[in-house]
Amino acid sequence: MLNSLAAGRHLAMRVVIAQIGVAIIAGLAFSLQGRAAGLAAFAAALIVAIANALFAARAFSALGGGAATFMRFLVGMILRWIVLVGGLALILVQWKLPFLPALVGLVAGFTVNVFAFRFKG
């Protein structure tokens, strides 16, 4: 059981680090269109990384039975969605940054999740 928790933490750390890297790349790529576009892409991808880090910290926090594990997973998922929706609202409504770069940054951040399970090492 400890091994699966350690493996989960390790994979989550790799995914979050990769998402931060993608956030930097997306921000630099969209900065060619202007400062606001670059900031929108960077912030959206970074919010995905922060949300996944919070989820992983909650889901892989401790040992327990099936019910406790499920509750930690559920609370982590709820935290993740609160951060995602709140972060996107902050980006689009409060800061009034462009929608398309924010959407591309969001998708780029989530794309890391797809590729994280395809490559091992």
Side-chain angles (χ1 to χ4, degrees):
M1 188 71 159
L2 287 175
N3 189 24
S4 65
L5 275 176
R9 283 188 204 114
H10 180 68
L11 178 62
M13 183 186 298
R14 283 188 14 215
V15 168
V16 169
I17 290 170
Q19 286 174 331
I20 291 170
V22 165
I24 292 169
I25 292 170
L28 289 174
F30 273 98
S31 67
L32 297 174
Q33 293 182 354
R35 181 177 173 204
L39 184 60
F42 173 74
L46 188 63
I47 283 175
V48 174
I50 292 169
N52 280 339
L54 284 174
F55 168 73
R58 187 70 190 145
F60 300 119
S61 62
L63 291 175
T69 301
F70 177 72
M71 286 306 295
R72 282 195 316 270
F73 183 85
L74 187 62
V75 169
M77 189 61 73
I78 291 169
L79 280 172
R80 179 182 185 188
W81 280 104
I82 288 171
V83 169
L84 284 171
V85 171
L88 282 177
L90 184 69
I91 290 170
L92 298 175
V93 177
Q94 184 69 29
W95 294 341
K96 295 179 177 48
L97 293 174
F99 173 75
L100 188 59
L103 180 64
V104 171
L106 185 76
V107 170
F110 276 119
T111 303
V112 173
N113 289 344
V114 174
F115 289 110
F117 297 109
R118 307 261 312 157
F119 303 108
K120 297 184 185 207

